[in-house]
Amino acid sequence: MTGGEVAVQTSWGPSIYATVDPNLEFRQGELISGIVQYRYYPEDGSVEEISHAYAIIASQDCDLLQDHNSKEATGESQLNSILLYEAHETSVLRGQVAGSDIWKRIVQNNDERYHALEAAHAKFDLSNVGLPDLIVDFRRFFTISPMDLAKQIQAGTAARRCRLEMPYREQFQTRAAFYLQRVGVPEPHKIAQPCPSVMLLTAIRHPADAKAAFSGPRRAAASCASAAHRLAPA
């Protein structure tokens, strides 16, 4: 967050998006459309073009600002590359997700792999058309140099659209960082399940409860608990 920055308020509450100034630095949480990523294969000298309909910048604001100032002052960039995540329209990603329960978690931002972004109104979009609902996939990221990105935008093949406003930018940043910081373990912790009879006896708080617990089908479970107590070491 830049110094003195506050969330933009609208008549219906805080805004999720804000406009970007095309003459200023790139911003964390900025959405860009039409980026082409170039992948070079040295074995045969071929170049593959990978098109990204939408992408969102994840690099830090301070790094992006310093890089912009450096280019303004010296013409040289301080960054090797800018980190971006792919963003896909919900209509595209929905067919790749199996199960309505998983999709519900995704659109509610309860799935650690994905980050949902609601549609942006045209008034925030530099292209004046608005953006659709998007899903960011934290497994799919790429980099591009600031100079290459600027050239694509100047050529009109890529376009700066809008950016996330605080605290939605910080939400995106922290969720992306959490996903990258996951630690894989060989086996998960195995927590023993409590015996049903122990749970039953723990729940007894009144003599009437005790009478009910030791009658009918529950008698066997209570007997099991009693036996386990007698066998327990002193």
Side-chain angles (χ1 to χ4, degrees):
M1 182 175 69
T2 58
E5 186 176 5
V6 296
V8 174
Q9 297 287 326
T10 65
S11 59
W12 58 88
S15 174
I16 295 177
Y17 297 102
T19 57
V20 294
D21 188 329
N23 299 312
L24 296 182
E25 74 276 7
F26 294 115
R27 297 293 302 273
Q28 183 183 68
E30 182 172 343
L31 286 155
I32 302 177
S33 60
I35 297 176
V36 176
Q37 176 189 2
Y38 296 95
R39 182 176 295 167
Y40 173 67
Y41 296 94
E43 58 271 19
D44 59 7
S46 62
V47 177
E48 178 186 7
E49 294 187 3
I50 305 172
S51 298
H52 301 282
Y54 299 97
I56 184 169
I57 294 177
S59 296
Q60 291 285 357
D61 266 348
C62 55
D63 293 332
L64 296 168
L65 176 59
Q66 291 175 10
D67 181 70
H68 174 79
N69 291 340
S70 175
K71 287 184 292 186
E72 289 286 308
T74 67
E76 298 293 330
S77 176
Q78 292 186 350
L79 295 178
N80 289 331
S81 58
I82 294 175
L83 176 64
L84 301 104
Y85 284 95
E86 294 180 2
H88 305 277
E89 294 189 41
T90 53
S91 59
V92 174
L93 188 64
R94 182 63 183 91
Q96 303 173 18
V97 175
S100 58
D101 290 343
I102 297 176
W103 183 250
K104 182 178 180 181
R105 292 202 307 269
I106 290 174
V107 298
Q108 293 179 344
N109 279 333
N110 289 325
D111 189 292
E112 62 184 13
R113 175 179 169 178
Y114 300 99
H115 188 73
L117 301 172
E118 75 172 53
H121 194 278
K123 67 182 179 180
F124 298 117
D125 181 13
L126 280 182
S127 298
N128 296 314
V129 295
L131 278 73
D133 294 327
L134 298 171
I135 303 292
V136 178
D137 186 346
F138 290 137
R139 282 189 185 176
R140 300 189 64 84
F141 55 88
F142 64 100
T143 62
I144 186 172
S145 74
M147 300 297 286
D148 286 344
L149 182 55
K151 288 178 180 178
Q152 291 189 36
I153 291 171
Q154 291 169 2
T157 55
R160 301 179 71 172
R161 305 298 294 272
C162 63
R163 64 178 177 86
L164 288 174
E165 185 56 274
M166 63 172 294
Y168 300 97
R169 179 182 63 228
E170 285 73 14
Q171 180 195 34
F172 159 72
Q173 176 195 36
T174 55
R175 296 196 73 230
F178 171 79
Y179 190 80
L180 290 176
Q181 292 172 350
R182 291 171 304 143
V183 178
V185 294
E187 291 290 339
H189 293 278
K190 297 179 176 61
I191 308 301
Q193 295 296 320
C195 176
S197 58
V198 174
M199 295 174 62
L200 175 64
L201 293 175
T202 303
I204 294 175
R205 293 292 183 271
H206 190 274
D209 297 332
K211 181 178 180 181
F214 286 93
S215 64
R218 296 178 178 176
R219 184 180 303 162
S223 299
C224 174
S226 177
H229 177 73
R230 290 196 304 271
L231 294 174

